[in-house]
Each structure stands twice: as structure tokens, then as C-alpha cells.
Amino acid sequence: SSVLDRFMDATAARDLQVIVNSPDLIRNPARVDVLRSRLETIDGVDRVSAMTMTPVAVAGTPYDFGAMASPDGGYFRTIDRPILVAGRLPADGAPDEIALNETAVDQLGLGIGDRVTGPTFTPEMVAGFLDETATSGEASGPTVDLAVVGIVRTGDELSIHPTSENPGGVVAPAFFHAHRTSSGFAMVAYALHVDPSVVDDDAVLAAARDDVGMNSEVWVDRVEGAYAGEVRSAHHSLATGLLVSALIAA
């Protein structure tokens, strides 16, 4: 098997991802798990876990800083596990811990033992950004203060898309449950382990759209489209090979 195949095995990489930008989910965060449960009922789907990304206005980053939490606790644990570069992942019950990605470490100059602090956006503000009802772009939500306990690499960092460069970090499920009604999350990503010979992407997309409504943005991609395909298509590139080797080395 290739280095990439071993990386995907080591991280329990998802087969399929459903990304949802929905004002309704932001205003009603309990519905994040409702959709997760619905996706699990689709024929050929073995496991589904959700991840929310809460934007934090951290000074010193050219892109939005995202605090990534798994409400159900499976994302980053049983599916799409990050590679630990140093330290550890946040404890499940610790809402004030974070493991930074390397983009955040480089841009902010932070390491284990430092803190990430910044204001968030209220749920109504984030929902307003999506449905174009927002009246202000100021981060006026509660300030979070997070202790850096680890540094991680993820498969999505293999992508050549600009969003893969966004600074952020993994926070515990407790972060989501502590802040879900006071700090808005900008998106929900559902990672799926599936039987690819059974699951139909259009059926997954239709189920998600039926749940959140046509006013929400929903799209589906397989891991090949998200990052693995990009690496495989460039397998003759020395730079790509070195990058994949570096990601799996820990």
C-alpha cells in the first residue's frame, strides 16, 4: 500500500463528507444530531459523526480561526482522527482546551502551554451572515480562552484548496455543549464511513437537503475529491510525496 493509504488507515479517514451551511441548524443546535441520526439510517452507511466549526476572532491570523468540535464525540476520535505532532487532544470534558493545527501555530507563534483568546460571534450573527440578515460584522459574542494542549495534522491539510490553510484547532465535545447557544458555528461537516458499492451520493444529498431545507447550502464529496484524489493525481511530485510522508510521521 502507498504512504497515503497507510495515512488514511491510521486516521480512519472518512469515505464521504456532507457539509451543511444552515441558518436553521445554527439557531437550533440540537438539530445537528438529528441530521446525523438521519444520515445513519441510509442504506450502506456504517457510521456518521458531526463536526462544527465556531469562528473566533483571534488577532494575528489572515483567515478565520475555527474551533472544531464534535458534538457526538466521534469526529477526531473514531473517524478522521488527526495525527498528533505534539502533546494530546483536548479531554472530552474540557471546554477550555484546544489542539492547534500547524497553520495556527505558524501564524500565531503559539505552542503547548500558551492560550488562544478571542471573541466569538453570536448564533444570530452567524445565521445572519448566511441568510443575509446580519446588520454587523463585529464579533460581539462571548470571549473564549483556550489552553493549547497539543498540535495536530489532518488529512484535509493535504488539499491544495486555500481553505486548507485556515488556522484553527480541535476542541472537545464539551466546547460545543458549553457554547452552542451563545457562540454561533459557521458550518457543520458530517463524516461518513460507507460501503461505496451501496451508497449513492445523490441519495445522501437528498436526505440532507430534505432535513435542512432548500434555503441551506449542502454539498457532498468523497474523500477522493476532498484531498486523497489530489495527492494521487500528483503522485509523481516529490513535494507531494514529502508532504504525505511528513503528515504520517509522528
Side-chain angles (χ1 to χ4, degrees):
S1 62
S2 69
V3 173
L4 177 61
D5 290 329
R6 294 196 297 273
F7 174 83
M8 292 175 68
D9 288 341
T11 59
R14 64 185 184 267
D15 302 305
L16 197 69
Q17 184 176 57
V18 180
I19 298 177
V20 180
N21 289 333
S22 169
D24 185 49
L25 291 189
I26 296 167
R27 294 184 174 111
N28 302 278
R31 294 199 60 246
V32 170
D33 201 58
V34 172
L35 177 53
R36 184 192 66 81
S37 297
R38 180 169 183 178
L39 293 173
E40 280 192 326
T41 67
I42 297 173
D43 189 31
V45 174
D46 298 323
R47 175 182 296 159
V48 182
S49 186
M51 181 269 286
T52 61
M53 193 282 290
T54 300
V56 183
V58 177
T61 62
Y63 297 100
D64 293 335
F65 183 96
M68 298 173 286
S70 177
D72 57 276
Y75 212 111
F76 305 123
R77 297 289 186 179
T78 60
I79 188 167
D80 271 0
R81 293 189 296 261
I83 297 293
L84 273 174
V85 177
R88 60 174 174 84
L89 290 176
D92 284 347
D96 58 352
E97 295 182 344
I98 189 168
L100 296 176
N101 64 17
E102 292 180 299
T103 300
V105 170
D106 292 341
Q107 290 184 6
L108 298 172
L110 297 177
I112 295 173
D114 292 325
R115 306 194 74 86
V116 175
T117 304
T120 59
F121 300 84
T122 66
E124 191 56 41
M125 289 178 66
V126 179
F129 296 152
L130 296 181
D131 62 17
E132 300 182 352
T133 61
T135 58
S136 171
E138 181 181 355
S140 59
T143 294
V144 296
D145 182 23
L146 307 171
V148 179
V149 297
I151 299 170
V152 295
R153 296 171 182 150
T154 68
D156 288 299
E157 292 177 68
L158 294 173
S159 173
I160 61 174
H161 299 303
T163 53
S164 67
E165 301 175 356
N166 284 12
V170 176
V171 290
F175 177 95
F176 172 83
H177 296 292
H179 297 284
R180 66 179 191 167
T181 60
S182 58
S183 300
F185 49 87
M187 72 153 194
V188 186
Y190 295 90
L192 287 69
H193 279 160
V194 306
D195 181 342
S197 67
V198 174
V199 169
D200 178 74
D201 292 12
D202 290 338
V204 174
L205 182 62
R209 283 181 171 164
D210 182 64
D211 186 87
V212 300
M214 297 304 294
N215 291 330
S216 301
E217 292 183 338
V218 183
W219 64 95
V220 174
D221 64 23
R222 296 200 175 240
V223 69
E224 291 289 326
Y227 64 85
E230 292 178 354
V231 174
R232 286 199 173 98
S233 67
H235 68 281
H236 291 301
S237 165
L238 175 61
T240 300
L242 291 173
L243 173 61
V244 177
S245 298
L247 280 168
I248 199 169

